[in-house]
Amino acid sequence: MKYGYYPGCSLEKNARAYHESALVVAKRLGIEFEETPDWNCCGATEYFAINALAGYALVGRNLALAARQKLNGQGNQLVAPCSACFLNLSKTDHYMAESPELAEKVNSALAAGGLSYEPGSVRVRHLLDVIVDDIGYMTVAEQVRKPLYGLRVAPYYGCLVVRPDYQHIHDEPEYPLCMDGLLKVLGAEVVDYPVKTHCCGGHMTQISEETALEMIRRLLKSAADYRADVIVTLCPMCQLNLDAYQEQVNKHFGADYHIPVLYFTQLMGLAFGASPKEVGIGKEFVDARPALAKIQEEPPQNAKQKRSRPPKGALPMPSMLSHHKGGGQ
Amino acid sequence: MNALTRASRASPQTFMQEVVAATPGGDTHLELCLQCGTCGGSCPSGRDMEHTPRQLFAMIAAGMRDEVLKSNTPWYCVSCYYCMVRCPQEIHITDIMYTLKRMAIKEGYYQESTAADAPDFSETFIDFVENYGRSFELGLATRYHLKHHPLSAIKMAGFGLGMLARGRMDLRPTKIQNIDQLQAILTKAKELSNGSFEPGGAS
């Protein structure tokens, strides 16, 4: 199956590890990517604050170029690994479909560059969704050569892949499970912690550092409370904030967190038998090697299936009715 | 922006209608707000906001234009969409925050808010996008921080070196091939936006 591929600015450089590992994983899984030619920036969270129509036209150019790719002789699917790119592409497509007035104006702007875009003609996908939904856990399991036994991983979804979920991909935008399942298939021990869809602060590190550091601290604290060895992310912004600002969080709050933050594709690559270098390990600020050294040859013997109590001082997990003891039910 | 320009915007529209008209993408449902407060309770940066989104929407309904546009609230919105998926009335809250940012910039109000640097961060970011077609982190960080936080530039320099050492930052921006096409599209979009989706309409 051939997909259009929109790497986005972050994957070109700052999130190069994501790009490289995504390509390694795609190759193993038989996913063929064809990069959208001459794509431009999606505008992140900045363009809509300055000029809405120009913001939509900026994204519209990418959609128009992707629609022209004519892959598989049918409706194109465009894969964006970055959360912000994924959101902006699907939001523009969605709002153009919802609002004929917006579609008309975006198309008038695109016409100035000899382009046009019919809403709905490109289906925007996130890489995680493609791997879980199109490829499936079974095919992923077949590729696992070096299972991640003994590694405690905290799947971190962040915001924009699960919310606002214009395409209704996720059954539960506040408690998604698709990456949890994927990491289990790789042999890792998945940590169930309560902040997996909380925000990393986005661009606030640049605008109000205080605000951002507190948001990052909450995430690191929760992952540490639940004894995660690694935080696993699907977004360049989340990776940057949690990884590159971890030292500042420690300084600011007198904390001592050392939790590496890796992309889910990096862990997939390692489990598939790729070398750490091939999947970009070493580009992170918080060294991932000590955590990765915890991976064992054999599955842990006494792997507890039972849900354990939250550690002292940690945010409680939302409790389900069936877990109440001695209630009236 | 002076009082005369502000006065010239006076129109039969209510402030609520003006906000809705400036928010593209279908029905915003803003006028359906129940004042339930789910938005504020869901907001991860709410504690730094002068008004919760709920308060801000009540102020919009009350026509408190100056107070709304001076509020730091939209600038502390991190676009996480938590409020939007939880809002029982399906109000396009995040998009309305973007609209309020645009209105505050256009009318010069943001300079009085505690987030006065935020618009310049966005402006600097898009300036690189408009000139090259791609974002450019080193240029953005350098230009923005030297202008607004020169004292913390040394800290930022350390951060930048860390990024460079890990091969995570470019020294030069990358330009797309067809930058002329992109610029023609954006110029046309800005021309068109004078008549719609932008605060104040034709000016």
Side-chain angles (χ1 to χ4, degrees):
Chain A
M1 177 79 181
K2 214 176 201 180
Y3 297 87
Y5 186 62
Y6 178 86
C9 303
S10 289
L11 270 79
E12 290 284 291
K13 202 66 190 182
N14 146 37
R16 195 76 202 166
Y18 195 9
H19 188 58
E20 287 166 4
S21 56
L23 296 185
V24 167
V25 166
K27 197 172 173 192
R28 296 290 178 97
L29 296 173
I31 301 172
E32 242 186 290
F33 285 141
E34 191 178 302
E35 191 168 318
T36 303
D38 206 39
W39 55 268
N40 54 258
C41 172
C42 77
T45 49
E46 310 313 322
Y47 223 131
F48 293 125
I50 304 295
N51 185 309
L53 189 55
Y56 286 111
L58 180 81
V59 184
R61 178 175 178 271
N62 292 319
L63 289 168
L65 294 174
R68 277 186 173 186
Q69 282 182 277
K70 297 261 179 289
L71 309 170
N72 310 312
Q74 50 182 358
N76 283 350
Q77 301 207 33
L78 182 64
V79 178
C82 166
S83 296
C85 300
F86 168 77
L87 185 265
N88 283 338
L89 289 163
S90 42
K91 175 173 172 156
T92 302
D93 182 55
H94 175 77
Y95 280 164
M96 282 177 78
E98 289 277 295
S99 162
E101 189 193 356
L102 177 64
E104 189 210 307
K105 292 221 150 59
V106 169
N107 271 313
S108 305
L110 289 176
L115 295 173
S116 68
Y117 179 69
E118 173 74 27
S121 55
V122 169
R123 186 175 166 211
V124 181
R125 310 285 306 273
H126 187 267
L127 180 61
L128 175 68
D129 176 42
V130 167
I131 291 176
V132 171
D133 251 31
D134 295 9
I135 305 297
Y137 293 149
M138 296 294 277
T139 310
V140 172
E142 284 165 14
Q143 291 297 323
V144 175
R145 305 281 178 275
K146 290 184 177 169
L148 309 174
Y149 294 140
L151 189 68
R152 286 177 64 84
V153 298
Y156 176 45
Y157 297 80
C159 305
L160 305 179
V161 171
V162 286
R163 290 187 306 272
D165 194 19
Y166 289 118
Q167 304 169 40
H168 305 292
I169 298 164
H170 298 277
D171 292 339
E172 183 42 84
E174 302 214 17
Y175 191 67
L177 289 166
C178 51
M179 185 159 59
D180 295 47
L182 182 66
L183 295 167
K184 278 179 194 161
V185 167
L186 304 180
E189 198 179 324
V190 175
V191 171
D192 195 11
Y193 71 125
V195 297
K196 66 181 175 183
T197 56
H198 284 214
C199 177
C200 74
H203 73 183
M204 290 312 275
T205 51
Q206 307 301 305
I207 289 162
S208 169
E209 199 174 67
E210 241 353 69
T211 307
L213 292 181
E214 166 59 15
M215 290 169 75
I216 299 169
R217 184 198 66 83
R218 287 179 213 159
L219 290 160
L220 294 173
K221 180 181 187 305
S222 188
D225 283 344
Y226 282 83
R227 293 179 294 111
D229 298 318
V230 182
I231 293 173
V232 188
T233 174
L234 41 69
C235 168
M237 188 84 252
C238 299
Q239 202 285 337
L240 184 73
N241 278 358
L242 266 63
D243 178 35
Y245 285 90
Q246 204 167 126
E247 196 186 316
Q248 246 164 282
V249 167
N250 285 339
K251 272 191 200 143
H252 193 82
F253 296 99
D256 191 26
Y257 298 117
H258 295 281
I259 313 174
V261 187
L262 297 177
Y263 295 103
F264 74 101
T265 44
Q266 289 182 288
L267 286 186
M268 288 183 79
L270 289 176
F272 289 178
S275 73
K277 192 165 182 284
E278 276 178 278
V279 294
I281 305 280
K283 289 188 185 294
E284 66 282 355
F285 279 72
V286 180
D287 192 355
R289 285 170 304 180
L292 296 175
K294 293 184 182 174
I295 298 172
Q296 302 157 14
E297 299 269 315
E298 299 295 324
Q301 288 305 306
N302 54 352
K304 276 191 297 182
Q305 289 307 309
K306 212 181 83 195
R307 180 180 281 216
S308 57
R309 284 178 157 277
K312 243 188 169 170
L315 283 175
M317 289 298 297
S319 60
M320 303 308 231
L321 269 180
S322 58
H323 290 149
H324 285 296
K325 283 180 183 157
Q329 300 292 315
Chain B
M1 192 68 43
N2 53 38
L4 190 71
T5 324
R6 276 180 202 166
S8 70
R9 289 188 195 293
S11 69
Q13 272 192 331
T14 63
F15 184 41
M16 166 87 76
Q17 287 166 337
E18 205 185 324
V19 172
V20 169
T23 310
D27 194 344
T28 64
H29 302 149
L30 178 59
E31 66 287 353
L32 300 180
C33 176
L34 298 167
Q35 291 289 301
C36 71
T38 303
C39 45
S42 308
C43 183
S45 43
R47 65 173 205 166
D48 295 323
M49 291 176 172
E50 285 159 358
H51 308 94
T52 63
R54 178 196 64 77
Q55 280 177 305
L56 210 61
F57 297 160
M59 288 157 67
I60 292 173
M64 297 165 69
R65 184 192 178 93
D66 286 12
E67 291 84 348
V68 169
L69 295 183
K70 277 179 194 164
S71 173
N72 75 359
T73 297
W75 301 105
Y76 279 83
C77 168
V78 288
S79 301
C80 77
Y81 292 82
Y82 245 119
C83 54
M84 212 160 131
V85 293
R86 286 181 175 175
C87 175
Q89 298 294 76
E90 302 180 0
I91 299 173
H92 293 189
I93 301 175
T94 312
D95 297 308
I96 288 161
M97 292 299 167
Y98 278 122
T99 298
L100 295 174
K101 287 181 190 185
R102 294 195 297 275
M103 289 179 133
I105 292 176
K106 190 155 188 173
E107 305 191 16
Y109 281 96
Y110 68 91
Q111 286 160 356
E112 297 161 44
S113 100
T114 63
D117 300 348
D120 197 50
F121 179 77
S122 298
E123 299 264 17
T124 311
F125 182 98
I126 71 164
D127 200 34
F128 283 107
V129 175
E130 289 177 352
N131 282 304
Y132 297 98
R134 299 277 173 88
S135 70
F136 179 43
E137 286 161 355
L138 181 62
L140 171 62
T142 314
R143 202 197 287 176
Y144 170 73
H145 284 287
L146 282 179
K147 184 165 166 196
H148 294 282
H149 322 106
L151 292 175
S152 66
I154 293 171
K155 191 170 73 185
M156 283 308 296
F159 181 87
L161 287 176
M163 294 288 283
L164 287 170
R166 287 167 180 82
R168 290 178 64 167
M169 192 145 80
D170 274 318
L171 287 170
R172 255 171 242 101
T174 306
K175 195 181 251 186
I176 63 169
Q177 284 164 18
N178 218 341
I179 186 72
D180 295 347
Q181 179 191 49
L182 176 63
Q183 286 171 346
I185 291 169
L186 295 177
T187 304
K188 181 71 181 173
K190 287 177 194 171
E191 217 178 281
L192 289 166
S193 67
N194 270 335
S196 59
F197 298 147
E198 292 304 321
S203 45

